[in-house]
Amino acid sequence: MPQSSAKPEQNRMGTMPVNRLLISMSLPMIISMLVQAMYNIIDSIFVSRINEAALAAISMAFPIQSLMIAVSSGTCVGVNALLSRSLGEQNPKQAQKAAQNGIFLAVLGALAFALFGIFASRLYFASQTDDPEIIEYGIQYLQICLIFSVGFYMEMMLERIMQSTGRTIYNMFSQGLGAITNIILDPIMIFGLAGFPALGIRGAAIATVTGQFLAMFISLFCNLRWNPDVSIRMKGFSPDKRIITIIYAVGLPSIVMQSISSVMTYGMNKILGVFSSTAVTVFGVYFKLQSFVFMPVFGLNNGMIPIIAYNYGARNRKRIMDTARMSIIIAVSIMLLGLAAFQLFPAQLLLLFDASDHMLEIGVPALRLISLSFLFAGYCIIVGSVFQALGNGMYSLITSVARQLLCILPAAWIFAEVWGLHAVWYSFPLAEIISVVLSTILFKRIYDNKIRNLQ
């Protein structure tokens, strides 16, 4: 019975019309990630009602949270690509090992960040500010998020295992219900409603990890109940060095690439902190707001990667290119809508976070200038994920290093020194233009080397 139900689900990645397949694979992920983006924004909106120092604290916490996401997401990319490719090659034993080793790696990642939360949180915040109120708020928030990060790590891995077999609909429920739980608990735990004590910024962190644990348990249930292609039971498991090496051959460049984003954010916080903590807060608010634009594109990515990986294993050139082309069109369309919102309503977006007059003075031009990069970002995100799906994560790493370390940070520092705070924001569209050129050159190379000669 499990075999007969699994076969059509697996084979649709090689047979269903690409447009329908991409939408059916991506739409649940796009919806769930929109909900996730919404709770990230709402989380910050509630925290901003405590005071601006609390909002600055979670802005400064963002690079470490981003690093945690990078390690988890990069590992998941490696597992996703290997598992989907193994299914495309009709190699269920290797697919099984990919899933089990992925779970093992997720637990190790959560343990590492829990230790950082316990021992290094104070040092981390003290490196960014000497304001004791911001430091204390930051420690209270970040320690809870990191010590209990196993919920986040396991949620992501279990959802990617489900996604790798083409069953993305279940991820919509796990992510969506986890995010809704966070949204409901935020005001209750922050401000002490419905008989709960007022926990302030600690309440925001507790609401976050509670939602992550709920999502983890839902995804665990869905995998055990509705994913016959792979088993996540760990009885008799032992780490497989060969499988882990394959996972990180693709995943490590993705981890480094996304970690570079953490380094960039930390560096930008240092540059902006010279002007004021409000400038840092504006940058943090921008990242919360832009997630509502970028998260749907990342959801599209999550649906696209297993399709391309499967059809690469099946040596189907046309389906690879049709999937990439359709993904680029959708991604660019989403980014153009985001650009319009940031250009037309920057003040209204900032006022969601109880922005002061000073914050509006800095933030309105910042949102308008940074969002110019949206014109190019959709294309670059999709092309970078095509590299990963084809096993060339190093190309994604090259473009990310060029954009964020070799362009954004140096340009931001020079602009800050020469022209002041207003000029810092020009570094973002400048970097994205460079990324477009480099991504196109590398895509042509990977097409010539890996795609052109497929059937």
Side-chain angles (χ1 to χ4, degrees):
M1 182 72 176
Q3 291 297 324
S4 61
S5 63
K7 187 175 179 60
E9 187 76 23
Q10 175 183 336
N11 287 347
R12 70 173 187 156
M13 288 196 283
T15 59
M16 182 183 286
V18 165
N19 290 0
R20 284 176 50 206
L21 177 62
L22 182 62
I23 291 172
S24 67
M25 291 280 286
S26 301
L27 189 58
M29 298 300 296
I30 290 173
I31 293 171
S32 63
M33 286 197 166
L34 276 173
V35 175
Q36 291 237 357
M38 186 185 302
Y39 94 69
N40 281 332
I41 292 173
I42 291 175
D43 201 48
S44 296
I45 289 173
F46 283 123
V47 168
S48 72
R49 268 49 180 184
I50 300 173
N51 55 43
E52 191 173 302
L55 187 57
I58 64 171
S59 296
M60 292 180 182
F62 181 78
I64 290 298
Q65 292 179 291
S66 180
L67 181 62
M68 181 175 70
I69 293 170
V71 174
S72 177
S73 178
T75 303
C76 288
V77 165
V79 172
N80 201 338
L82 176 59
L83 206 161
S84 295
R85 188 167 67 247
S86 298
L87 292 175
E89 296 168 345
Q90 306 300 313
N91 188 347
K93 184 176 180 181
Q94 182 165 270
Q96 176 71 30
K97 288 184 177 181
Q100 291 177 326
N101 280 272
I103 291 172
F104 168 71
L105 294 171
V107 173
L108 287 186
L111 177 61
F113 277 91
L115 294 173
F116 183 95
I118 294 169
F119 297 111
S121 292
R122 182 172 296 277
L123 179 64
Y124 169 74
F125 282 99
S127 72
Q128 297 184 81
T129 180
D130 56 4
D131 186 321
E133 185 179 22
I134 294 176
I135 291 173
E136 289 306 315
Y137 275 135
I139 292 170
Q140 292 171 20
Y141 180 80
L142 191 60
Q143 280 192 334
I144 293 172
C145 290
L146 296 186
I147 291 171
F148 298 98
S149 63
V150 66
F152 167 77
Y153 266 89
M154 287 300 295
E155 171 199 349
M156 281 198 70
M157 184 57 66
L158 291 167
E159 286 172 352
R160 294 309 180 271
I161 290 171
M162 184 71 79
Q163 171 200 326
S164 298
T165 62
R167 299 174 176 87
T168 55
I169 186 68
Y170 300 107
N171 294 346
M172 181 178 69
F173 292 111
S174 59
Q175 288 189 1
L177 290 174
I180 291 169
T181 299
N182 188 349
I183 292 170
I184 293 171
L185 292 180
D186 258 334
I188 292 173
M189 292 188 167
I190 292 173
F191 304 116
L193 306 178
F196 278 80
L199 299 175
I201 200 167
R202 286 192 181 95
I206 293 171
T208 295
V209 299
T210 301
Q212 290 167 351
F213 271 97
L214 176 63
M216 177 192 76
F217 286 122
I218 293 172
S219 190
L220 176 64
F221 174 79
C222 290
N223 268 283
L224 293 173
R225 179 69 178 81
W226 291 298
N227 192 4
D229 289 331
V230 294
S231 171
I232 59 171
R233 292 177 174 84
M234 303 297 283
K235 183 177 180 180
F237 167 78
S238 60
D240 188 315
K241 182 178 178 181
R242 183 185 71 86
I243 293 294
I244 292 173
T245 299
I246 295 172
I247 288 171
Y248 281 120
V250 174
L252 186 58
S254 179
I255 291 173
V256 175
M257 179 180 67
Q258 294 184 67
S259 299
I260 289 169
S261 177
S262 298
V263 174
M264 183 275 292
T265 307
Y266 179 83
M268 285 294 296
N269 284 345
K270 298 281 284 184
I271 293 169
L272 296 170
V274 173
F275 296 98
S276 69
S277 62
T278 301
V280 175
T281 302
V282 165
F283 189 54
V285 166
Y286 159 73
F287 263 102
K288 298 292 183 179
L289 290 169
Q290 62 94 32
S291 69
F292 205 74
V293 181
F294 280 76
M295 281 294 189
V297 179
F298 294 145
L300 177 68
N301 267 357
N302 288 335
M304 178 196 74
I305 287 174
I307 298 173
I308 290 181
Y310 182 97
N311 285 284
Y312 181 59
R315 299 185 60 80
N316 192 323
R317 179 183 62 190
K318 185 177 186 304
R319 290 182 67 81
I320 291 172
M321 294 305 298
D322 286 349
T323 302
R325 189 178 300 110
M326 185 65 181
S327 298
I328 289 171
I329 292 171
I330 296 173
V332 170
S333 300
I334 292 170
M335 299 306 289
L336 288 175
L337 291 174
L339 173 64
F342 274 65
Q343 293 297 316
L344 296 174
F345 309 112
Q348 291 85 343
L349 292 172
L350 290 166
L351 286 170
L352 292 173
F353 301 86
D354 205 23
S356 62
D357 290 341
H358 183 49
M359 187 171 168
L360 287 171
E361 181 184 358
I362 296 174
V364 168
L367 294 189
R368 283 183 170 149
L369 289 173
I370 299 176
S371 63
L372 293 175
S373 63
F374 294 0
L375 289 167
F376 318 103
Y379 170 82
C380 295
I381 291 169
I382 295 298
V383 171
S385 295
V386 171
F387 296 157
Q388 294 169 357
L390 297 175
N392 281 67
M394 187 59 67
Y395 284 4
S396 296
L397 175 59
I398 291 170
T399 56
S400 185
V401 169
R403 183 172 65 88
Q404 299 188 83
L405 293 189
L406 301 182
C407 187
I408 287 182
L409 281 183
W413 181 81
I414 292 170
F415 293 167
E417 290 291 317
V418 177
W419 293 292
L421 176 60
H422 178 77
V424 170
W425 317 118
Y426 284 101
S427 60
F428 287 87
L430 173 63
E432 213 64 58
I433 292 170
I434 292 173
S435 182
V436 166
V437 175
L438 190 55
S439 296
T440 301
I441 293 171
L442 293 176
F443 183 79
K444 184 179 185 307
R445 182 172 181 178
I446 202 172
Y447 179 84
D448 292 339
N449 293 338
K450 286 200 166 187
I451 302 175
R452 184 187 297 276
N453 295 324
L454 298 179
Q455 296 176 357

